[in-house]
Each structure stands twice: as structure tokens, then as C-alpha cells.
Amino acid sequence: MSPPPLMPSLTILLPYLAFPHQTPKPWVVLSMAGTPGHPIFLLLLLCAVGQVSPYSTHWKPTWPAYRLPVVLPQSTFNLAKPDFGAEAKLEVSSSCGPQCHKGTPLPTYEEAKQYLSYETLYANGSRTETQVGIYVLRSGEGQPSGKSRRKRQIYGYDSRFSIFGKDFLLNYPFSTSVKLSTGCTGTLVAEKHVLTAAHCIHDGKTYVKGTQKLRVGFLKPKFKDGRGANDSRSALPEKMKFQWIRVKRTHVPKGWIKGNANDIGMDYDYALLELKKPHKRKFMKIGVSPPAKQLPGGRIHFSGYDNDRPGNLVYRFCDVQDETYDLLYQQCDAQPGASGSGVYVRMWKRQQQKWERKIIGIFSGHQWVDVNGSPQDFNVAVRITPLKYAQICYWIKGNYVDCREG
């Protein structure tokens, strides 16, 4: 395979920060050459703009506007075939809680490039690594120049809802939830793409068993006598079954692979699967995760295939308890098997004047957290930050021009 075109130089293009009443100024070019330790927070600072004030009389929880960065491939090279020897893990655990993560310095520019570089696994078992560059462009601009884990994750009364009946299961948004053959959940985010957790296919060292022949399952009605769902003689389906589609290739960020041993990996526990053929269902777009205080009711939603309710799609919602730049801490009831579920919210989209659901995170797993000397447990979701959005969108679209709106 031929690698993507190389970028000519390690340069970030930064827009001049003009006041709203002034005419925008020309581009300012800041070379990163010779400054490998330049902090990434400057890049992150430039990504969030246009926040909506909650004090308006007619305020609606509105999707914020962002000036998004661009994550572009720089070079691609072949890797040796993996052995696919890891056991599938339906959840991950970490002892590094909110305060621990908040105390971790933001990555430098060079570190961010390493974490957002990625591995691609193909159906024939071949594997490549792609190194990336990070850029910030003005909207509409042309090409850039250069402790122990316990089984239960139920908090008090079990507030999960099993979704029954094809009228619900086959309709949006529940129809966007799919099951991976490794046991996890995924979410349809494009015509041929599924977003899930990285640990569902890779343990941080190698790929899990079955990943080379990875399949994605779609629930559909199972009728007696071979009658189809559109057959007027059909009675109610006796049960649902999975229809499977093979995966063509997978993308896993190097932040998960490189950082898995030191809790940094939890921030990058996401992966994208490309199917061999379109699934022909409505999908849910990804979006940049707003701050928890801007979420409607401070609440998130997700559906998954919890393994204590085999064959059932399980929906839940709950309040966000805490957050870091990369993670959302909540106590949504969940069991192994729900990992990889897309965490979504429904907010007002000002441009189209309509309500829209978007995936803002990926349910990852469970954490024990030391809160004032007392252990407390949370379920954790990986937030889709501007950089992660840019990366995942590029994986889906194959170009950055279609990834300007987060």
C-alpha cells in the first residue's frame, strides 16, 4: 500500500486571535522546529471557541462550536504480523482516579503526536504503523503547508432497561448499537464504521484472539417458517438474532499501546473498525465532548450488550460525577460486555435548527478511586476531545476537509 503524502515540514498554522468586532488577521506561522517540548496546551486552547451562555432566556443545551485541529498521516510503514495471543478483556480497571489524572501534565506536542499515531490491522493479518502530524487551521482554509476488581458495577438499585421488541431494537438510536465477536459492544458512526473500545481488540501489547476474523453483529428479528420481517402473514418474532459482517481493518491509537502500562492508556481506549460492506442502517455521528456542566441535565446515555443479560440490548442513563480532560466519571450501572458502547447526548444544533444525538465518548470500564482515604468506584468513559475527533474523523472520511465541524 502507498503511504499518504508527506507533509513538507513540522509547522503548525495558528490563526491570529482577533476580537470578534475586528477583521480577522492573516495567518501566523509558528515553527515547531527545535522546540520538541513545546506544550500541547496552546493547541488545545485554540480548539474550544464559541461556548453558549446558559443564562439566556431561551437557552437550549446547544452543541458548542469548536475550531478543530487536523491530524494528518505523515508516514506509514509495515510491521510484523501479530500473534493474536491475548485473551479478550471485556473491561479494564485502573486505580488512577480523577485527582490522579488531573495532576498529570498535558502531553507535549511531540508526545501528542506519538499518542495519536496508530496501528492498522488488516483482515489478512498484515499490520502497519502510521505516524501523524498535528495542525490547527482556520475554518475553510486550504491545504496546510507544512485494587482488586469486583464483578458488580451496579450502584444501588439496578437502573438498566432491557430493550425488547423490533419496534425499538431496529429503530434509532438503539439500532446503532452492535455486538463484537470478541464480546464487547460497538456503535455505528458511519456507513461502514464502528466505534468501540481499544481493549476489546488489543490488550496494550498484542491483539486479542479472534481479532483477525473479527465480526460485528446486528440484531434482526428471527421468524418461524422462514417468513421475513415484511411478510404480512408474519406473527411477532419469537426472538432476535445476530447477523454478522466481517471487519476489513481496525485502527488503534498508539497512546493505548504505548501508554497501557502507566494509566495514560486509559485516555486512549478507543478503536475504529471498518466493515467489509455497508450496514445500511442509520448511524450516529461523533462529536466533541462538551464540559459536563453543559450536558443536558449533566447526564449521559449509552446502550450495550451486558453479559449478565445475554442476547439483550441494555440501555441506561446517569449523571456525570466528575471529569478530566480525557475521561468522564459516572456511576451508570453496567456489566462486562457493555465496554465499547458509544456514550451520547442529545443537544440543539444551531446551524440546522434541530435536536441531534452525537457520540461524545466510549464506555471503557471500571476504576477504584481513593476519595479522601475511602475507596470509591466509578465507571469511566473516554471523552472525544478535539484531537481525538480529528483523528477518528480522518479514519472515517480519509480527508480532513470533511472534519471541520466537531
Side-chain angles (χ1 to χ4, degrees):
M1 62 177 291
S2 59
L6 299 177
M7 300 298 294
S9 64
L10 187 63
T11 302
I12 296 184
L13 302 181
L14 300 179
Y16 185 90
L17 297 181
F19 291 100
H21 63 276
Q22 294 179 335
T23 303
K25 304 297 181 182
W27 281 85
V28 179
V29 181
L30 300 181
S31 175
M32 299 300 296
T35 58
H38 190 85
I40 199 66
F41 70 80
L42 176 61
L43 184 65
L44 303 178
L45 179 65
L46 293 174
C47 294
V49 297
Q51 302 299 326
V52 179
S53 170
Y55 302 108
S56 169
T57 305
H58 304 289
W59 179 77
K60 297 176 181 178
T62 303
W63 288 109
Y66 290 91
R67 181 178 294 119
L68 292 171
V70 173
V71 177
L72 286 179
Q74 300 292 277
S75 60
T76 300
F77 52 90
N78 294 320
L79 299 174
K81 287 189 176 183
D83 59 10
F84 302 100
E87 295 292 335
K89 296 172 62 178
L90 300 187
E91 56 187 349
V92 294
S93 298
S94 171
S95 58
C96 184
Q99 297 309 315
C100 169
H101 276 278
K102 290 175 183 177
T104 304
L106 288 172
T108 65
Y109 175 69
E110 292 298 324
E111 289 172 337
K113 288 203 307 174
Q114 293 176 22
Y115 296 152
L116 292 174
S117 296
Y118 56 92
E119 280 193 13
T120 302
L121 176 69
Y122 297 87
N124 63 4
S126 63
R127 182 173 57 131
T128 61
E129 178 175 328
T130 301
Q131 297 176 343
V132 302
I134 303 173
Y135 305 83
V136 173
L137 299 175
R138 184 170 56 190
S139 179
E141 194 70 17
Q143 291 285 340
S145 63
K147 141 176 15 160
S148 65
R149 187 45 202 99
R150 65 179 181 180
K151 266 193 172 182
R152 284 184 64 80
Q153 296 178 30
I154 306 300
Y155 301 90
Y157 176 75
D158 189 347
S159 60
R160 297 174 297 164
F161 301 86
S162 291
I163 306 301
F164 297 103
K166 68 182 182 68
D167 289 340
F168 289 101
L169 287 168
L170 301 183
N171 285 327
Y172 186 87
F174 302 117
S175 59
T176 64
S177 295
V178 293
K179 185 176 179 65
L180 274 59
S181 56
T182 53
C184 287
T185 299
T187 306
L188 304 177
V189 292
E191 290 87 351
K192 295 174 64 176
H193 293 88
V194 176
L195 187 63
T196 188
H199 74 261
C200 295
I201 61 174
H202 196 291
D203 73 347
K205 296 180 180 179
T206 189
Y207 291 87
V208 305
K209 295 177 181 177
T211 303
Q212 186 174 355
K213 297 182 179 180
L214 186 63
R215 299 178 301 159
V216 171
F218 298 77
L219 270 181
K220 61 177 294 184
K222 181 179 181 181
F223 289 85
K224 294 181 180 180
D225 304 324
R227 296 177 182 178
N230 297 321
D231 193 326
S232 60
R233 300 170 300 161
S234 295
L236 292 175
E238 74 175 342
K239 64 178 182 178
M240 305 293 285
K241 67 175 183 179
F242 285 103
Q243 181 179 32
W244 299 91
I245 298 179
R246 286 285 301 272
V247 171
K248 178 181 178 180
R249 60 180 174 179
T250 67
H251 298 300
V252 178
K254 297 296 285 186
W256 170 254
I257 299 171
K258 293 178 180 295
N260 189 252
N262 59 10
D263 281 319
I264 295 298
M266 194 91 174
D267 297 346
Y268 297 89
D269 188 11
Y270 59 91
L272 189 77
L273 319 179
E274 181 181 344
L275 304 176
K276 284 194 171 183
K277 62 180 182 180
H279 52 73
K280 299 180 181 180
R281 287 193 180 186
K282 185 177 180 180
F283 56 85
M284 195 179 301
K285 296 179 181 178
I286 62 171
V288 175
S289 173
K293 64 182 180 181
Q294 292 187 18
L295 301 178
R299 183 176 294 163
I300 58 172
H301 310 251
F302 63 95
S303 301
Y305 292 97
D306 301 52
N307 63 4
D308 67 331
R309 299 188 186 182
N312 290 349
L313 180 66
V314 184
Y315 162 76
R316 75 229 73 198
F317 63 90
C318 68
D319 297 340
V320 174
Q321 303 293 319
D322 204 345
E323 65 180 330
T324 66
Y325 184 77
D326 287 285
L327 301 173
L328 290 174
Y329 294 84
Q330 32 79 16
Q331 292 186 331
C332 283
D333 293 329
Q335 290 285 318
S339 291
S341 301
V343 173
Y344 66 88
V345 295
R346 180 175 177 267
M347 299 177 69
W348 182 253
K349 193 168 185 180
R350 190 184 304 118
Q351 298 92 325
Q352 281 76 30
Q353 291 291 295
K354 67 177 183 178
W355 294 95
E356 185 174 25
R357 293 178 179 89
K358 289 185 182 181
I359 302 292
I360 62 164
I362 305 94
F363 178 59
S364 179
H366 188 264
Q367 285 191 358
W368 281 102
V369 179
D370 188 357
V371 180
N372 299 324
S374 176
Q376 185 175 355
D377 54 335
F378 290 90
N379 281 328
V380 184
V382 178
R383 299 178 67 180
I384 298 180
T385 63
L387 282 171
K388 294 171 189 172
Y389 176 93
Q391 180 189 54
I392 296 169
C393 184
Y394 187 89
W395 288 343
I396 295 172
K397 303 289 187 179
N399 67 81
Y400 76 87
V401 177
D402 294 330
C403 299
R404 304 306 301 137
E405 179 188 349

